[in-house]
Amino acid sequence: MSTYKLSKSYDFKAVEQRLYDWWEKQGFFVPVVDEKRKPYVISMPPPNITGELHLGHAMFVAMEDLMIRHQRMRGEVTLWLPGSDHAGIATQLQIEKELEVEGVRREDIGREAFVKRTWEWKRKYGGIITDQLRRLGASCDWTRERFTLDDGLSRAVREAFTRLYEKGLIYRGSYLINWSPGLRTAVSDLEVEYSEEEGKLYYFNYPIADSEEAIPVATTRPESILGDTAVAVHPEDKRFKHLVGKTCLVPMLERPIPVIADEYVDREFGTGAVKVTPGHDPADYEVGQRHDLEIVNVLNVDATMNENAGPYAGLDRYECREKLWGDMQAAGMTIKVEPYLMQVPRTQRGGEVVEPMISTQWFVRMKKLAEPALEAVRQGKIRIVPERFTKVYYNWLENIRDWCISRQLWWGHRIPAWHCSDCGEISVGREDPEACSHCGSGKIERDPDVLDTWFSSGLWPFSTLGWPDETADLAYFYPTTMMETGYDILFFWVARMIMMGLEFTGQVPFETVYLHGMIRDERGRKVSKSLGNVTDPLDVMDKYGTDALRFTLLTGSTPGNDINVDVQRIEANRNFANKIWNAGRLVLLSMESAPEAPTAEPEPTPADAWIQAGLANLVREADRLFEAHQYAEAGRQVYEFFWSEFADWYLEASKLQIEQGGDRAWLTVKIMIRVLDTCLRLLHPFTPFVTEELWGRLKAACEAHPAEFAPDGGWEKALIVARWPQAGEEEVDAEKVKAFTLAKDLVHAIRNVRSEKGVEPKRRIAAVISAGPHAAALDGQRRLLEILARLDADSLQIGEALEAPDNAVPLVVGSVEAYLPLEGLFTADEERARISTELERATQQAERLEKLLAGAFAERAPGDVVQKERARLEELRQVISKLEAQREALK
């Protein structure tokens, strides 16, 4: 294939893997340290090793890659540090499913064999997700890839735990926690999701001991009755005031419990009296603490009833519910059962119903860690984008509760604590002890629990750079620059990283937090398998290419807002990739017509001036929008410029200019190359593959051409490391820009009329253009008007003040009037209707501007902006006047 010829369509399947391998082999992803310069650093949110690529991954990879590629092109030292998370619960579930198929449980093979098997699984499957991230074009430094259970991070986790324990910020105790019966582990408050579900409200009588009286109460969980240790009423409720201090009997067990008064009771809910179960309800736990109530646990770890449930011991919690309620009915204790819409707590990972239970766990005291994290944001050391999430961050940290960090799992960072069977004390240390640090006994046993996955993730920005060692990477790349992630883990991860970073390094872990929204389907629904609306990114990339998916996600999202993903939009953006390719194809073909060198550089045409002015404005706007983190709008503006201005207008105009040959052809091709080169640079962070491939072809063609069409500073080795476009201080020939804009608008108006009247596309028509002071400018673009508006050269008249011919369609474009003699193709009534529609539109615009200029805008806005609006209003008034005259002439 010739240097100047490209295939007719862009073949992404032949390009993407080849280019990615080349980028990585060339070392473009690895930063070159320059101690004199501050680097730009992103720590990748580590995906789970169990993960299958989904649109959430595609979203964060596309966004972070855009940020990194942009900064790399700006000449910054950039590090995007990748890694993966061991994902304690998710990975353990994966192995337990495999064991289940084999007919065994983890307890059957023991902890050591289970952990060994999990590592083998990780080595076999753990790299799949990172290979898929490569597929998305992630230009991260794979030479620094980390894993949350690798040796270095394991040492960091142990160091962090030990320091917090030594400061008294980690403790062990029995408290009410969220228990996952299926996973058989504690889960934190943040790992519990509440779903609105249809349940039942069970009403029954609580008998008063040695009396015929009873207190009516209601519950959504009858099985929890067996753990009740009080019945509570409001102290001012006259219905029950006389019963306070009396004794009730737990149904079927007849265990005596007191009737207490507490202002927590809502007199309007249910019966106005509530059963109190401190061992299985958070609110009841607080009541129990205030009244020093006994705490009775009636559940085993698998959610079967334990010995405290009496005759119901051994039953599943739901079996117990039915059996107990049936027994109470038989005993005449029940009142009624009502449908009840309730908030049901379910585990985020398994989806099963969580049971509040008293359990001995490890906790972190969060108040002292939260205070510096609050101040860091308040003082502006960390900026959250969008700003509205700052209030959410404050609210959570100001009301933070202690964090339950222990999990009853085998896969993860095992807690570095040893229990002494002689003195009962706990030894915690950086190294495994041989004896109790308190009494010296050798009878010590390591705590069986592992740490919450989010504990190691909280250390991610600095542990991945070598902490606790004072490494060169830690000294140069920390604190990092940007933390980009979904708003749904602002508390799970972001807040904890800030707290951990300040605690262990004395510095904020990053300067900016950018929060993207959640992925939803085209109807705005949450993506889920049950709805059948899950889109597989791999399938999308196979069909439409990676660039199409990336551009859709990046231009469809705004900070903190959810994005609706429609496959039709992805297909449309595949077409945009082809548009880029075909525009490049035309530019390269045009180079064959360009002379080796100009005899003298000609004056730019109006089209040249217009496209170069638009390009300069685009570069300025792109810089402004990138700086403001408005990446989607930046992408949309480049898209609009490339498609609607460069491809649709300038490339069409350029064909006419190249026909002239000589110096005019040389300058036109030079401008085409400059615009294409600049647009490819601006688009590269969004669509890296098609832009790199086309830019490489453009570079090769320019270097092969005798005229050597090189950009200022010459051609770089690759687009991925090419310079980001700079907005220059070039002078703009405003008159030429106006002249081409007027010609373009006129062509557009004529095309609209042709379309409305059903004029055949190939048919050339006559036109009379009365242009006043713009006549010369339009006459200089006569050939452009003829070709683009399909006007008959012999019948085209352009003058300052020409008479309107009979039976012609009148057009008004600014101060220019045009007439299209189309006798037989329209009626007077149709034309009056069209003019009336245009008149109504122009009148509405004028009224809006009049109102704007009569208000505070005229005083507060910059003078040049106000003057521009006044000029626009005057232009609209002229249009209205001419349209009224045209309509009057048709009566």
Side-chain angles (χ1 to χ4, degrees):
M1 186 175 287
S2 162
T3 304
Y4 304 114
K5 291 182 179 178
L6 299 179
S7 58
K8 290 186 177 180
S9 62
Y10 170 58
D11 183 4
F12 62 84
K13 292 182 179 179
V15 169
E16 293 179 357
Q17 189 62 54
R18 169 174 55 80
L19 273 183
Y20 192 90
D21 291 344
W22 180 68
W23 285 332
E24 192 170 3
K25 186 177 180 180
Q26 294 297 315
F28 293 140
F29 304 162
V30 181
V32 178
V33 173
D34 181 350
E35 295 293 346
K36 296 178 182 178
R37 305 184 65 186
K38 183 180 178 182
Y40 183 92
V41 185
I42 298 178
S43 295
M44 176 187 287
N48 293 347
I49 56 170
T50 59
E52 293 180 2
L53 193 70
H54 55 69
L55 286 176
H57 294 121
M59 180 75 249
F60 90 72
V61 170
M63 185 61 72
E64 291 173 29
D65 193 51
L66 173 141
M67 294 172 175
I68 282 290
R69 286 178 186 269
H70 172 237
Q71 295 295 333
R72 187 186 289 123
M73 293 177 76
R74 291 185 64 206
E76 303 295 344
V77 178
T78 56
L79 170 62
W80 185 14
L81 195 150
S84 53
D85 195 292
H86 65 278
I89 292 175
T91 306
Q92 179 149 328
L93 278 175
Q94 199 74 33
I95 307 306
E96 289 190 5
K97 285 178 183 176
E98 287 188 359
L99 292 175
E100 188 178 345
V101 172
E102 298 169 15
V104 296
R105 299 179 306 147
R106 59 170 161 150
E107 290 82 4
D108 297 330
I109 66 172
R111 183 170 194 146
E112 186 177 346
F114 182 87
V115 171
K116 181 181 179 183
R117 180 161 178 161
T118 310
W119 273 108
E120 290 171 354
W121 185 94
K122 188 267 177 189
R123 281 187 280 272
K124 185 174 181 180
Y125 298 109
I128 292 175
I129 187 68
T130 53
D131 289 341
Q132 292 173 338
L133 299 185
R134 282 179 161 89
R135 177 80 188 276
L136 284 161
S139 60
C140 45
D141 183 359
W142 295 107
T143 67
R144 286 180 166 89
E145 183 180 3
R146 301 303 300 266
F147 176 52
T148 51
L149 267 180
D150 68 29
D151 291 341
L153 268 68
S154 294
R155 192 162 72 85
V157 166
R158 189 156 179 170
E159 177 68 25
F161 184 96
T162 304
R163 288 192 193 184
L164 291 174
Y165 184 81
E166 290 171 347
K167 291 181 70 172
L169 294 177
I170 284 183
Y171 64 96
R172 188 170 183 263
S174 295
Y175 297 92
L176 192 74
I177 52 92
N178 303 300
W179 184 260
S180 169
L183 301 173
R184 298 196 186 186
T185 181
V187 291
S188 72
D189 292 342
L190 291 176
E191 293 169 297
V192 176
E193 294 180 338
Y194 288 84
S195 61
E196 192 172 70
E197 300 177 23
E198 192 70 47
K200 295 177 180 178
L201 193 57
Y202 299 81
Y203 292 81
F204 66 97
N205 283 314
Y206 233 113
I208 303 294
D210 304 320
S211 168
E212 295 298 318
E213 285 191 272
I215 301 178
V217 297
T219 181
T220 58
R221 298 185 298 157
E223 69 278 9
S224 68
I225 294 170
L226 302 172
D228 289 353
T229 57
V231 172
V233 299
H234 194 279
E236 297 177 5
D237 194 330
K238 294 178 182 179
R239 294 173 296 174
F240 307 116
K241 202 167 188 178
H242 68 288
L243 295 176
V244 174
K246 300 282 187 179
T247 298
C248 286
L249 297 175
V250 174
M252 311 320 295
L253 297 183
E254 297 192 346
R255 175 164 47 82
I257 61 174
V259 179
I260 63 173
D262 195 290
E263 292 183 348
Y264 145 78
V265 178
D266 180 359
R267 285 176 284 183
E268 305 303 319
F269 175 76
T271 65
V274 297
K275 56 189 282 303
V276 181
T277 321
H280 296 287
D281 185 274
D284 290 1
Y285 179 80
E286 297 297 330
V287 174
Q289 295 296 297
R290 287 196 294 273
H291 294 270
D292 196 25
L293 297 177
E294 181 185 5
I295 296 176
V296 176
N297 175 28
V298 296
L299 288 174
N300 294 312
V301 295
D302 61 354
T304 58
M305 309 308 290
N306 65 19
E307 68 280 1
N308 292 327
Y312 305 98
L315 292 177
D316 172 78
R317 53 182 163 170
Y318 300 121
E319 292 174 342
C320 176
R321 177 180 297 181
E322 297 303 318
K323 180 74 167 63
L324 174 61
W325 190 252
D327 291 346
M328 289 171 63
Q329 282 180 318
M333 304 176 76
T334 61
I335 301 172
K336 62 179 179 178
V337 179
E338 291 181 344
Y340 183 66
L341 199 61
M342 52 195 287
Q343 294 293 322
V344 179
R346 293 185 177 275
T347 59
Q348 205 179 46
R349 179 61 58 183
E352 63 176 338
V353 176
V354 167
E355 287 291 346
M357 280 178 58
I358 294 294
S359 178
T360 300
Q361 302 287 341
W362 290 87
F363 297 85
V364 178
R365 302 183 200 277
M366 301 301 288
K367 288 288 185 185
K368 287 188 177 179
L369 296 176
E371 289 166 7
L374 278 165
E375 285 305 303
V377 176
R378 284 176 179 148
Q379 294 173 9
K381 294 178 181 177
I382 297 175
R383 179 188 171 206
I384 298 177
V385 179
E387 194 273 336
R388 69 176 185 273
F389 281 96
T390 303
K391 293 179 181 178
V392 182
Y393 173 87
Y394 290 157
N395 182 63
W396 186 70
L397 286 183
E398 287 165 354
N399 298 282
I400 199 167
R401 296 170 60 183
D402 286 357
W403 174 17
C404 177
I405 56 170
S406 47
R407 299 290 181 270
Q408 288 63 56
L409 303 171
W410 286 354
W411 174 247
H413 294 280
R414 194 166 177 180
I415 290 175
W418 282 257
H419 301 267
C420 179
S421 58
D422 282 345
C423 70
E425 294 292 337
I426 296 174
S427 301
V428 171
R430 293 165 178 82
E431 304 294 335
D432 292 3
E434 295 182 358
C436 175
S437 60
H438 299 277
C439 70
S441 170
K443 296 179 180 179
I444 57 173
E445 187 174 344
R446 189 165 186 177
D447 195 287
D449 293 349
V450 300
L451 287 165
D452 179 4
T453 299
W454 295 103
F455 188 93
S456 53
S457 299
L459 312 176
W460 187 251
F462 50 95
S463 63
T464 52
L465 294 170
W467 185 91
D469 295 333
E470 295 180 2
T471 64
D473 270 7
L474 185 66
Y476 183 67
F477 292 113
Y478 188 83
T480 67
T481 312
M482 174 67 71
M483 173 46 59
E484 191 283 335
T485 190
Y487 66 67
D488 58 323
I489 54 174
L490 177 60
F491 310 131
F492 271 114
W493 192 40
V494 177
R496 287 167 176 168
M497 282 190 288
I498 295 173
M499 289 186 275
M500 297 288 206
L502 289 166
E503 173 66 21
F504 296 119
T505 72
Q507 301 179 80
V508 295
F510 29 73
E511 298 168 6
T512 303
V513 176
Y514 180 98
L515 301 172
H516 66 250
M518 299 298 100
I519 302 291
R520 298 187 177 276
D521 71 8
E522 68 276 7
R523 292 161 58 185
R525 299 177 302 173
K526 186 177 180 179
V527 174
S528 70
K529 290 181 180 178
S530 62
L531 288 175
N533 60 353
V534 175
T535 300
D536 186 338
L538 295 173
D539 290 344
V540 170
M541 290 187 287
D542 285 342
K543 188 171 184 180
Y544 302 112
T546 299
D547 287 329
L549 175 61
R550 285 176 56 124
F551 197 75
T552 300
L553 294 173
L554 291 170
T555 58
S557 66
T558 52
N561 293 324
D562 293 349
I563 170 176
N564 296 353
V565 175
D566 185 349
V567 173
Q568 288 183 339
R569 286 179 54 209
I570 299 172
E571 184 177 5
N573 286 323
R574 187 272 312 274
N575 296 340
F576 179 51
N578 276 327
K579 187 78 171 182
I580 296 169
W581 184 259
N582 285 322
R585 184 166 171 264
L586 177 60
V587 172
L588 264 63
L589 284 172
S590 299
M591 291 176 67
E592 290 184 308
S593 304
E596 294 184 9
T599 55
E601 185 163 333
E603 282 291 315
T605 64
D608 296 339
W610 173 79
I611 197 65
Q612 292 188 98
L615 184 67
N617 184 65
L618 177 67
V619 171
R620 283 191 294 270
E621 277 296 289
D623 274 344
R624 181 185 68 80
L625 292 165
F626 265 82
E627 188 68 26
H629 304 295
Q630 296 295 327
Y631 306 112
E633 182 58 26
R636 286 192 290 268
Q637 289 201 17
V638 180
Y639 174 101
E640 285 300 323
F641 175 85
F642 191 93
W643 194 306
S644 302
E645 298 186 23
F646 180 56
D648 283 359
W649 289 100
Y650 185 72
L651 290 186
E652 293 303 312
S654 70
K655 295 174 185 177
L656 306 178
Q657 297 181 182
I658 290 172
E659 283 178 0
Q660 299 175 35
D663 295 347
R664 174 60 60 204
W666 173 85
L667 180 61
T668 301
V669 170
K670 180 181 178 182
I671 292 171
M672 292 167 72
I673 291 169
R674 181 187 171 215
V675 176
L676 178 61
D677 172 46
T678 302
C679 287
L680 292 177
R681 292 171 193 252
L682 292 173
L683 282 167
H684 182 71
F686 297 91
T687 54
F689 292 107
V690 67
T691 52
E692 181 75 81
E693 180 72 4
L694 183 54
W695 189 88
R697 303 290 189 92
L698 178 66
K699 173 189 173 184
C702 287
E703 289 177 337
H705 195 280
E708 295 185 3
F709 295 106
D712 294 339
W715 294 101
E716 298 89 341
K717 185 174 183 179
L719 182 56
I720 190 174
V721 290
R723 295 177 299 279
W724 185 252
Q726 299 296 310
E729 298 298 325
E730 302 172 4
E731 288 187 16
V732 174
D733 190 329
E735 291 305 313
K736 287 184 177 179
V737 172
K738 286 181 182 177
F740 185 77
T741 302
L742 182 59
K744 180 175 75 74
D745 291 346
L746 190 56
V747 169
H748 185 71
I750 294 171
R751 285 175 173 175
N752 283 345
V753 171
R754 291 179 64 110
S755 176
E756 289 173 12
K757 303 304 178 186
V759 179
E760 294 177 7
K762 293 182 179 180
R763 179 178 173 181
R764 293 190 177 275
I765 60 174
V768 175
I769 301 173
S770 182
H774 305 294
L778 289 176
D779 197 48
Q781 300 177 88
R782 174 181 287 269
R783 178 68 175 154
L784 181 86
L785 295 172
E786 291 172 7
I787 299 301
L788 299 188
R790 304 295 291 172
L791 301 178
D792 180 62
D794 295 334
S795 304
L796 173 60
Q797 300 178 51
I798 301 175
E800 293 184 5
L802 300 179
E803 289 291 325
D806 294 333
N807 299 318
V809 175
L811 298 173
V812 178
V813 177
S815 59
V816 173
E817 291 185 271
Y819 303 94
L820 308 179
L822 298 176
E823 187 174 0
L825 293 178
F826 70 96
T827 67
D829 288 342
E830 289 174 339
E831 196 52 30
R832 271 195 300 272
R834 186 188 66 80
I835 293 172
S836 294
T837 300
E838 288 191 23
L839 183 58
E840 183 181 0
R841 187 184 303 118
T843 302
Q844 288 175 349
Q845 292 176 353
E847 288 173 351
R848 182 188 65 79
L849 279 177
E850 286 171 349
K851 187 176 180 180
L852 182 72
L853 292 167
F857 169 81
E859 298 176 3
R860 296 176 183 171
D864 59 331
V865 174
V866 174
Q867 187 54 43
K868 185 177 179 181
E869 295 301 324
R870 291 192 193 282
R872 172 65 181 145
L873 177 59
E874 183 55 36
E875 185 178 289
L876 281 168
R877 285 170 175 163
Q878 291 180 24
V879 169
I880 290 168
S881 177
K882 290 176 179 178
L883 287 171
E884 287 175 338
Q886 289 175 1
R887 187 171 63 176
E888 187 67 27
L890 287 170
K891 287 184 178 179

